Amino acid sequence: MPEVIMPKMGDAMEEGTILRWLKQEGDEVEEGDVLAEIETDKVNLEMEAEASGKLAEIIAGEGESVPVGRPIAFIQGEGEEVPERGKPREAAAGAAEEEEGAGAPAATEEREARPRERAPEADGHVRASPLVRRLAREHDVDLSQIEGSGPHGRIVERDIRAYLERAPEEREERPAAPAAAPRAAELPPPTGAPGTELVEPSRMQRIIGERMTQAKQQIPHFYATVEVRMDELMRLRGELNEQLAEEGVKLSVNDFVMKACALALGKFRNLNALYTSEGIELHESVDMAMAVALESGLITPVIRDCAGKTLSKISAEAKDLATRAREGKLKPDEYQGGTFTVSNMGMFGVEDFTAIINPPQVAIVAVSSIVRRPVFDEEGSVVPAQLMKLTLSADHRVANGAEGALYLAEVKRLLENPVMLLV
Amino acid sequence: MAEKTYREALKEAMTEEMERDESVLLLGEDIGVYGGTHLITDGLLDMFGKKRVIDTPISEAGFTGAAIGMAMMGLRPVVEMMTWNFSFIAADQIIQNAAKVRYFSGGQVQVPLVIRGPNGGGVQLSAQHTHSLESFYGHFPGLKVVAPVTPADVKGMMISSIRDPNPVIFLEAGALYGTRGEVPEGEHTVPFGKARVAREGSDVTLVAYGRQVLLCERAAERLAEDGIEAEVIDLRSIRPLDEETVIESVRKTHRAVSVQEQWRYYGVSSEIAAIIQEKAFDYLDAPVERVSGAEVPAPYARNLELMCFPSEEQVVEVARRVLYQEV
């Protein structure tokens, strides 16, 4: 009897909420059918059946939150029986193993394989020493990610230490609890004055808050701003969009900016890097994270190998990712693993702003609005121009000011000679 | 500081206290004329006379009861059990009277009594003469129980015991009377309820008392050869028990092995394991393990006796097990 368990869709995911069941008890389902919609702290996902059969029982109803690894339904294969309702999975798994031990012939291949494979984390239980559990709490580590080297797969101190050492991203993403706790204690209590309302920050906002606090506190940021003349780019963009209109392509300014930022990184490899426990990890491929504002927060979907993609490809991907981000339908691998970020607030009429580095990345570019201003041309005459400010925030542990300035100059050169972005 | 034997340290403590305080006197079988079966009191009869060094009949219940009476009346008797095995005969006096008179009298009557003698085995004395009685006596409120292992601690704890207003069960490591160590001259006291860190280490805590402390120190040497730094805690005082030193150590090392000569069940090591899991649960990386004597009456034959007591190899092996380095 294959159980449908709450899947783990990202390192930080501890539980998911059933938004909606798309199949009802008694429905026949095929492997790959969408069973339900699930909400995690970051996205909404469609969950597919991993086996065919009858959806014999739904354990977790709509709106229910279920820890990762817990069963939410049973799919009954041919000739299989539904376990008693409410029977804990562990007991069921144990019983299956006992049957095997007694040499019961009824066991199908699946039955033989599954309980053993998943036994350690059946019902979400992981064998770990108390010390490991404490360290996991302090470092916000998901123990199901760690393989235990102790007896019966028990996770022991050396396992979690090794994990913490080799997963710097994991550690830098979320600050350790002790660091966060005293801060909360220092905050003033609510005034409770009339006309006030106390709102609990959402889970996403809390995570963003923690990460940004950590980034601001731990990364020595430096900033550099350039003003880019956008007239030529706007002219070229108009031309291209006219030509491409039939194909339904409409390039945005941000597509050009991302392409330029990615191309320029070819000469400044330091900035396309992750700051890890063991050193600066330089990345060849520019996996461009783009900040997308959501009603409930912010997410940064990633365009892989942004430097190697054409503008129209970047444009199509960006549009698709942004749309699905707003619908909460991104998969974890679509918003994890970026190496550089562009944050664009041009659409909001912002004259300039600075962004906080998204660790373990080491740089981010803040893109402001294009404004029309009078400027002097080469002859000294006052002419109208379209200008846009770019502000680089970079990690001083990795790069220095001059390098940042040279990088921005290269981005500016590419944007002011936009045909360079077409080759 | 001069180097002295365990035996000399013991005698020195009693001698100094007898010189300091006239109410201190000794009772026991063969302690006077013969000088003591283990020669602990040799020469003291000549020094202090037969009113203060009293040879008793072979009657543990009788002379222990007499000593309790003396203590209740203000003397400070130090009773020698030829071995602690004989104290079973006096157990009614010790448990029912010595431990309880102070409570019964609402604190009006104190029992400043020390009962001392060799405890445990290791010298081929077979089943009836090999008991380790620390958990037996450690069970009763009203008694203090100590089991020092170094000559310095023997002296310091004997002085503390004689000066204490309560009955003290003084368990000597009978197999170690001839071992030597530095002993401070003159006034030297060791408090009750304070363990000693016999060796500092960071990887695993070995908890023991009495003779097993030396075993743990040797095991720690062996472990050190493989880069494992074991911390050895000498409890010294069984009741009151220094929980803090043990917990502090385990919080540092995350692993503990508790070693005792007595049988495994209901022993001091079980108590240590229980306290560690209560107070350092979140610091443990492995279950607390016990190394204990075999569950049989102690055999006489040397080879069997060796098999029945904890060995250096066992301690090393179990230490490796809690470090998940099984060989």
Side-chain angles (χ1 to χ4, degrees):
Chain A
M1 164 82 40
E3 283 170 347
V4 182
I5 59 164
M6 177 59 69
K8 186 163 187 68
M9 303 306 296
D11 287 344
M13 177 168 167
E14 283 165 8
E15 59 174 32
T17 306
I18 312 280
L19 280 184
R20 195 155 67 94
W21 280 101
L22 300 169
K23 299 283 182 185
Q24 307 305 320
E25 276 187 12
D27 285 0
E28 289 295 329
V29 299
E30 291 288 317
E31 188 180 332
D33 282 359
V34 176
L35 291 177
E37 277 181 17
I38 290 174
E39 182 186 52
T40 74
D41 55 342
K42 290 230 169 172
V43 286
N44 297 345
L45 293 152
E46 291 179 339
M47 201 178 109
E48 296 176 357
E50 287 179 2
S52 302
K54 190 168 85 171
L55 186 61
E57 187 182 354
I58 288 175
I59 299 170
E62 290 178 2
E64 235 177 272
S65 288
V66 182
V68 167
R70 283 278 169 84
I72 56 173
F74 287 107
I75 294 176
Q76 183 179 18
E78 223 169 288
E80 290 181 336
E81 283 177 18
V82 187
E84 274 173 56
R85 192 177 173 92
K87 197 169 178 181
R89 193 195 139 90
E90 202 170 37
E97 270 180 340
E98 269 167 42
E99 271 176 40
E100 277 170 47
T108 64
E109 253 177 51
E110 195 134 42
R111 290 180 77 166
E112 277 172 9
R114 291 229 167 160
R116 268 201 201 139
E117 243 170 58
R118 293 197 198 156
E121 51 185 292
D123 82 345
H125 181 80
V126 179
R127 277 183 209 270
S129 75
L131 172 69
V132 166
R133 290 189 185 279
R134 184 170 60 88
L135 291 173
R137 277 198 302 278
E138 286 173 6
H139 294 271
D140 204 1
V141 169
D142 175 5
L143 288 177
S144 65
Q145 302 293 307
I146 304 179
E147 211 163 307
S149 67
H152 310 293
R154 182 189 300 150
I155 303 167
V156 301
E157 188 188 7
R158 62 174 172 233
D159 303 323
I160 191 168
R161 297 260 182 235
Y163 176 83
L164 287 171
E165 268 172 35
R166 75 162 182 272
E169 293 172 47
E170 188 69 18
R171 268 180 307 152
E172 287 189 20
E173 259 182 31
R174 281 161 273 144
R183 210 169 52 233
E186 287 162 16
L187 296 175
T191 62
T196 59
E197 185 189 357
L198 205 54
V199 181
E200 182 77 11
S202 70
R203 187 165 168 170
M204 185 182 226
Q205 194 55 48
R206 227 170 36 234
I207 292 173
I208 292 170
E210 282 170 10
R211 291 192 48 181
M212 291 302 104
T213 305
Q214 189 200 15
K216 264 289 201 189
Q217 287 177 344
Q218 296 185 357
I219 301 175
H221 286 65
F222 72 84
Y223 311 98
T225 303
V226 290
E227 198 166 46
V228 184
R229 193 139 176 204
M230 296 292 278
D231 301 82
E232 180 56 22
L233 189 142
M234 294 310 278
R235 192 194 56 72
L236 179 68
R237 172 173 172 260
E239 244 175 60
L240 287 170
N241 279 346
E242 217 169 280
Q243 305 274 339
L244 294 166
E246 270 179 32
E247 293 170 38
V249 175
K250 188 173 175 228
L251 304 174
S252 72
V253 175
N254 201 45
D255 299 334
F256 284 88
V257 175
M258 286 197 290
K259 173 81 180 183
C261 285
L263 270 185
L265 284 171
K267 293 182 188 168
F268 299 89
R269 294 191 59 206
N270 262 356
L271 296 174
N272 188 47
L274 303 181
Y275 193 76
T276 76
S277 63
E278 287 172 25
I280 301 159
E281 186 179 276
L282 303 179
H283 281 242
E284 202 159 300
S285 162
V286 178
D287 295 338
M288 180 66 73
M290 53 179 227
V292 175
L294 306 177
E295 254 178 55
S296 57
L298 172 73
I299 198 162
T300 52
V302 177
I303 298 171
R304 309 277 163 195
D305 187 23
C306 188
K309 282 183 175 151
T310 62
L311 278 169
S312 55
K313 179 86 174 118
I314 291 170
S315 179
E317 278 191 31
K319 197 177 289 175
D320 170 54
L321 288 169
T323 308
R324 286 193 295 115
R326 288 188 194 103
E327 290 167 357
K329 285 191 174 162
L330 289 180
K331 296 191 195 109
D333 63 1
E334 290 177 314
Y335 60 78
Q336 289 174 353
T339 59
F340 188 94
T341 301
V342 164
S343 175
N344 190 334
M345 296 224 277
M347 57 294 245
F348 303 124
V350 167
E351 268 203 42
D352 67 64
F353 75 104
T354 56
I356 301 174
I357 295 169
N358 186 16
Q361 295 172 27
V362 302
I364 185 168
V365 166
V367 185
S368 301
S369 303
I370 298 172
V371 291
R372 278 171 66 87
R373 274 214 199 93
V375 296
F376 294 105
D377 67 6
E378 280 162 20
E379 277 95 50
S381 314
V382 174
V383 295
Q386 302 188 68
L387 298 166
M388 178 184 78
K389 280 182 179 158
L390 295 181
T391 300
L392 170 77
S393 309
D395 186 336
H396 224 315
R397 296 172 300 188
V398 175
N400 296 317
E403 199 173 0
L406 288 171
Y407 169 71
L408 274 186
E410 175 66 6
V411 176
K412 178 180 160 86
R413 185 183 72 86
L414 291 170
L415 289 173
E416 290 181 349
N417 301 281
V419 285
M420 300 301 293
L421 303 175
L422 304 180
V423 294
Chain B
M1 264 194 299
E3 200 171 77
K4 297 197 172 87
T5 62
Y6 195 107
R7 176 183 285 116
E8 287 162 352
L10 205 46
K11 183 167 149 185
E12 183 174 298
M14 292 191 287
T15 308
E16 285 177 15
E17 285 306 286
M18 289 177 84
E19 283 168 344
R20 192 184 68 85
D21 181 352
E22 280 202 340
S23 65
V24 179
L25 73 159
L26 313 181
L27 299 87
E29 295 158 354
D30 285 341
I31 64 164
V33 176
Y34 184 64
T37 307
H38 309 283
L39 295 179
I40 307 297
T41 51
D42 195 22
L44 295 187
L45 176 65
D46 293 342
M47 282 178 74
F48 298 103
K50 61 184 180 181
K51 276 196 169 174
R52 296 184 68 196
V53 180
I54 304 170
D55 274 320
T56 67
I58 303 175
S59 172
E60 283 77 10
F63 65 75
T64 303
I68 293 169
M70 291 176 186
M72 288 168 67
M73 297 311 290
L75 296 178
R76 291 185 177 266
V78 179
V79 173
E80 175 174 303
M81 286 289 162
M82 192 182 288
T83 85
W84 271 101
N85 303 281
F86 305 156
S87 76
F88 289 126
I89 298 164
D92 183 66
Q93 288 293 349
I94 297 170
I95 296 163
Q96 298 285 42
N97 291 329
K100 301 197 170 71
V101 164
R102 182 173 185 159
Y103 294 81
F104 283 165
S105 69
Q108 296 178 80
V109 181
Q110 298 184 336
V111 186
L113 165 73
V114 180
I115 309 177
R116 52 151 289 269
N119 178 57
V123 285
Q124 273 190 281
L125 288 173
S126 188
Q128 293 177 313
H129 287 183
T130 302
H131 289 96
S132 293
L133 294 184
E134 53 278 6
S135 70
F136 179 73
Y137 285 114
H139 189 59
F140 297 104
L143 298 178
K144 289 183 176 173
V145 181
V146 298
V149 64
T150 67
D153 281 351
V154 162
K155 178 176 177 184
M157 297 195 98
M158 178 52 81
I159 293 178
S160 297
S161 298
I162 291 173
R163 294 180 186 180
D164 197 86
N166 298 295
V168 178
I169 304 296
F170 199 94
L171 305 169
E172 295 156 11
L176 302 181
Y177 281 140
T179 54
R180 308 185 78 84
E182 299 275 312
V183 178
E185 300 291 336
E187 177 101 2
H188 164 61
T189 58
V190 172
F192 294 96
K194 187 78 199 89
R196 176 178 71 99
V197 179
R199 178 193 176 103
E200 285 196 23
S202 51
D203 298 330
V204 57
T205 300
L206 308 178
V207 184
Y209 53 91
R211 193 159 71 98
Q212 311 308 320
V213 173
L214 304 187
L215 183 79
C216 288
E217 285 178 319
R218 290 199 301 274
E221 296 285 333
R222 286 260 299 271
L223 289 165
E225 288 167 18
D226 298 329
I228 298 169
E229 288 307 325
E231 179 147 303
V232 178
I233 306 266
D234 172 9
L235 292 176
R236 302 198 289 199
S237 175
I238 303 299
R239 186 184 191 105
L241 184 63
D242 181 1
E243 300 185 5
E244 205 153 297
T245 299
V246 175
I247 296 306
E248 203 176 294
S249 175
V250 174
R251 285 188 174 195
K252 175 174 68 174
T253 64
H254 310 309
R255 298 145 196 109
V257 177
S258 190
V259 184
Q260 62 181 14
E261 186 177 303
Q262 64 187 222
W263 297 297
R264 178 180 180 86
Y265 290 93
Y266 316 111
V268 172
S269 286
S270 304
E271 195 58 42
I272 294 296
I275 288 165
I276 292 172
Q277 66 85 16
E278 277 171 0
K279 302 202 169 164
F281 183 77
D282 283 331
Y283 294 83
L284 282 175
D285 194 40
V288 180
E289 293 235 23
R290 290 169 290 169
V291 176
S292 315
E295 294 287 320
V296 290
Y300 168 76
R302 185 62 180 157
N303 58 338
L304 293 178
E305 186 180 48
L306 286 174
M307 285 173 70
C308 280
F309 290 137
S311 67
E312 204 178 302
E313 287 71 31
Q314 261 179 300
V315 176
V316 167
E317 188 189 312
V318 174
R320 285 186 192 285
R321 190 154 73 224
V322 299
L323 281 153
Y324 301 107
Q325 295 189 347
E326 267 161 304
V327 274

